[in-house]
Amino acid sequence: MKRRRTAAAPDADPSPAAERPRRSGPITGPKHMRRYVITMSALVITALGLTFGIMTWDNPAETGSRPWWLIVDMRRDSLITIGVVALCHAVSTVAFQTAVNNRILTPGIMGFGSLYTAIQTTAVFLLGAGGATALVGVGPFLLQMLAMMVLATLLYTWLLSGRFSNIHIMLLVGVVIGGVLGSLSNFMQRILTPSEFDVLTARLFGNISNARADYLPYAIPMVIAAVALIWLRANTLNTIALGRTTAQNLGLNYKRELIIVMALVSLLVAVATALVGPMMFLGFLAATLAYQFGDTYSHRMLFPMAVLFAYTILAASYFILRHIWDAGGAVTVIVELIGGLVFLIVLMRKGRL
């Protein structure tokens, strides 16, 4: 007698994988979440330690006395400046790299640093050594920031909403403008006297000491507003990261959102540059570390990590230069050295821009 074989149900799958619901998201599993939480916790502890060290290290007054608190209050302004600059560079770089779909380019390619250098050089060239002093104050700070914003806004609206509508042409034009301004600045610097050149050089380094306490009430509200608007567009940035064609197929007004993101990025970079001077690699370094350790597409998870990396890098550089080497607050010396090395490593590994 033949044994009858019972057929299994067509939708039955005995494999263990079929029992687990399939899902996707910014966190791939418990191990990924654990690594993200550990990284964020380590950054928070390091940032708090550096903050405490900057405020209390080598304070000559008796702990808790009135002079001790006065010195702490003076150092507090430097810490606020570090926080504002870190926030500007980290958020603007992550958003910019998403918009241009390239993790090597930074907002500095648009010529912000070259424009800042040209403004400072022109002032010293026309007014002598006193020109650097003439650019100190709330009025000159706002004017420098406005000049950078106007340049960027004209560039974005012309090249992204006009006949070309090509982000690569926009980047190329930004490089050319930066090169022209840099050449003009170099020409004027060669005519300066040694004393004037020395005064100018001190202004062209990214220096926390360049920022004054009276700048902060104007800079902080603008930065908070710009960061809040970018944060609200985090899901839009996730869609933009998929590429122009895919984003448009999903119903996104790609051109409009791109111009809005670029305008907010230009505001953040303009504030940071006018506040302390140009820093080419701070944002790149923070964003690259956030991509590496965060390993997620979610901008709402990348932004906090990038900001903490930027703050830690900037605070550590300031602490080493100011309190260990007693070399002032020209943090560019360390940031550009480390950032430049990381940039070369990433570029050589990718093999392309």
Side-chain angles (χ1 to χ4, degrees):
M1 188 176 180
K2 290 185 179 179
R3 183 174 295 175
R4 200 178 227 176
R5 214 175 265 179
T6 57
D11 56 347
D13 189 351
S15 62
E19 301 176 2
R20 297 193 301 266
R22 298 181 62 183
R23 62 180 296 274
S24 62
I27 297 295
T28 58
K31 184 177 180 181
H32 187 187
M33 174 60 80
R34 185 163 54 249
R35 187 177 67 177
Y36 182 85
V37 171
I38 290 174
T39 303
M40 290 293 289
S41 302
L43 286 172
V44 169
I45 293 172
T46 305
L48 291 175
L50 288 168
T51 301
F52 181 78
I54 290 174
M55 296 187 73
T56 61
W57 183 272
D58 200 21
N59 192 327
E62 183 181 353
T63 304
S65 62
R66 187 171 180 275
W68 188 86
W69 282 110
L70 288 174
I71 295 174
V72 168
D73 288 341
M74 293 171 60
R75 296 179 177 182
R76 180 193 58 195
D77 293 335
S78 297
L79 282 169
I80 294 174
T81 301
I82 290 173
V84 171
V85 173
L87 185 63
C88 289
H89 279 281
V91 173
S92 64
T93 302
V94 173
F96 180 85
Q97 290 180 344
T98 298
V100 302
N101 196 22
N102 190 302
R103 290 190 172 182
I104 292 181
L105 300 177
T106 64
I109 199 173
M110 301 308 299
F112 288 102
S114 299
L115 180 58
Y116 176 87
T117 301
I119 293 173
Q120 297 288 332
T121 304
T122 303
V124 176
F125 180 78
L126 296 177
L127 304 176
T133 307
L135 292 179
V136 175
V138 174
F141 164 72
L142 294 176
L143 286 175
Q144 290 180 79
M145 191 186 65
L146 181 63
M148 297 177 201
M149 276 293 299
V150 169
L151 173 66
T153 304
L154 290 176
L155 201 59
Y156 299 149
T157 53
W158 172 44
L159 294 176
L160 291 180
S161 62
R163 179 169 58 90
F164 301 103
S165 187
N166 190 326
I167 199 165
H168 297 97
I169 294 178
M170 183 197 72
L171 294 175
L172 181 60
V173 171
V175 171
V176 172
I177 292 176
V180 171
L181 292 175
S183 299
L184 180 63
S185 299
N186 287 332
F187 172 74
M188 289 188 290
Q189 289 171 13
R190 292 179 181 276
I191 305 176
L192 298 177
T193 64
S195 59
E196 292 172 344
F197 182 78
D198 186 49
V199 172
L200 175 64
T201 303
R203 297 287 302 174
L204 296 183
F205 278 98
N207 196 328
I208 301 300
S209 301
N210 287 343
R212 296 163 56 94
D214 50 349
Y215 296 171
L216 297 176
Y218 298 91
I220 291 175
M222 289 186 286
V223 170
I224 292 176
V227 170
L229 289 173
I230 291 178
W231 178 265
L232 293 175
R233 281 178 163 76
N235 291 331
T236 300
L237 288 170
N238 294 340
T239 307
I240 291 175
L242 298 174
R244 177 175 189 148
T245 303
T246 305
Q248 288 178 335
N249 290 337
L250 291 173
L252 183 70
N253 190 335
Y254 185 84
K255 188 184 299 184
R256 186 193 68 185
E257 293 298 331
L258 192 63
I259 292 175
I260 292 174
V261 170
M262 287 296 199
L264 295 173
V265 166
S266 67
L267 174 60
L268 291 175
V269 179
V271 171
T273 305
L275 196 62
V276 300
M279 292 186 187
M280 183 177 295
F281 290 115
L282 176 61
F284 170 80
L285 189 56
T288 301
L289 292 173
Y291 298 143
Q292 184 68 32
F293 287 93
D295 193 22
T296 179
Y297 67 83
S298 174
H299 285 76
R300 289 191 174 169
M301 300 184 73
L302 287 173
F303 282 142
M305 183 173 287
V307 171
L308 283 174
F309 268 120
Y311 181 85
T312 302
I313 293 167
L314 207 54
S317 302
Y318 182 80
F319 180 80
I320 292 172
L321 285 171
R322 189 65 179 255
H323 300 296
I324 304 298
W325 292 346
D326 195 21
V331 293
T332 306
V333 175
I334 295 180
V335 173
E336 302 298 84
L337 174 63
I338 299 175
L341 291 175
V342 173
F343 179 84
L344 290 176
I345 292 172
V346 172
L347 185 60
M348 296 300 292
R349 288 181 62 183
K350 289 177 68 71
R352 62 181 178 86
L353 283 175

